[in-house]
Amino acid sequence: MLELILAFMLIRLPYISVPFQWLESFFHELSHALATLVTGGEVSHIQLFSSGAGYCYASGGWPVLIGFAGYGGAALWGYLMYNMATQPRWIKASYAFLGTLVAASLLLWARDMLTIAILLALSALFYLPLRLAANQWLLMLLRVMSLMIMLNAMSSPFALVGLEGEGDAQLLADLTWVPGPIWIALWLLASALALLMTWRRVAVAVGEKG
């Protein structure tokens, strides 16, 4: 609960919250890219902006899954990261994996200087903590980062409310005839479920210790 409160406070702070908005945006666009590849499409490049917005430029694949995967995938990545942060023996390997994931995306899909700079900053966010000797600090830091990603994934879809003719919700509405607000509600539900599952995981761990 304390880590959740800390994460909630940090995403509200100016400047400090910016790298973590980039992190949620990265996993959002990465999820679009992976959904494209899994469904037989091709990814040209991704683009990230200092505001926390982003785009994934791709062709082919199943557009419904690709469109849904952005916000839903960001929440799932947050949950997966939280699970990584419950494994003390593998925590440094988890940081290395996440840093390498960002670095690989940089090499494969970054084309403009701003996106390259943002991805370099995000890779440092995972590589630099490896200098910490105490695994306990690494575990706590990754848990807080994962909670921030899930909270950002929950709040980001609200920016789509009222937008006309743009955004993932509008894209999905055009493809399926399901209204955009329904897709926004599904993304909120996915983020809420991810947070609930982290809570249940903590409850199980506490019960085992007890």
Side-chain angles (χ1 to χ4, degrees):
M1 180 60 74
L2 289 174
E3 290 172 352
L4 181 60
I5 293 172
L6 176 61
F8 184 81
M9 292 174 61
L10 287 174
I11 64 172
R12 295 291 187 274
L13 293 177
Y15 304 114
I16 293 177
S17 64
V18 171
F20 303 101
Q21 293 173 1
W22 295 344
L23 195 58
E24 188 271 336
S25 180
F26 164 70
F27 282 117
H28 179 112
E29 303 309 330
L30 176 65
S31 297
H32 280 316
L34 293 177
T36 300
L37 295 175
V38 166
T39 56
E42 296 182 359
V43 178
S44 169
H45 61 283
I46 62 174
Q47 188 173 15
L48 302 176
F49 300 93
S50 57
S51 63
Y55 291 106
C56 175
Y57 295 88
S59 61
W62 184 26
V64 175
L65 179 61
I66 295 168
F68 184 79
Y71 293 110
L76 179 59
W77 277 107
Y79 175 69
L80 291 175
M81 285 173 60
Y82 195 93
N83 278 271
M84 293 177 185
T86 62
Q87 303 295 327
R89 291 180 56 190
W90 303 103
I91 187 61
K92 290 193 175 182
S94 296
Y95 272 87
F97 166 75
L98 292 167
T100 302
L101 187 66
V102 176
S105 299
L106 187 157
L107 293 173
L108 291 171
W109 298 319
R111 299 291 183 268
D112 63 284
M113 292 306 298
L114 179 57
T115 301
I116 291 171
I118 289 174
L119 290 178
L120 285 173
L122 294 181
S123 61
L125 197 63
F126 291 117
Y127 284 134
L128 289 180
L130 290 174
R131 298 176 64 87
L132 295 173
N135 280 1
Q136 193 59 38
W137 285 106
L138 291 172
L139 291 165
M140 186 185 74
L141 177 60
L142 190 58
R143 287 197 300 268
V144 171
M145 282 198 292
S146 68
L147 290 170
M148 292 174 74
I149 290 171
M150 285 183 276
L151 289 172
N152 276 323
M154 178 177 286
S155 62
S156 294
F158 282 109
L160 302 177
V161 177
L163 288 181
E164 295 293 337
E166 57 182 302
D168 291 346
Q170 185 61 52
L171 169 67
L172 289 169
D174 293 340
L175 289 170
T176 64
W177 298 97
V178 176
I182 299 297
W183 292 108
I184 293 173
L186 289 173
W187 286 319
L188 295 175
L189 178 61
S191 298
L193 286 174
L195 284 169
L196 177 62
M197 287 190 293
T198 61
W199 181 269
R200 290 175 62 87
R201 186 165 183 87
V202 171
V204 169
V206 171
E208 290 175 350
K209 290 181 179 179

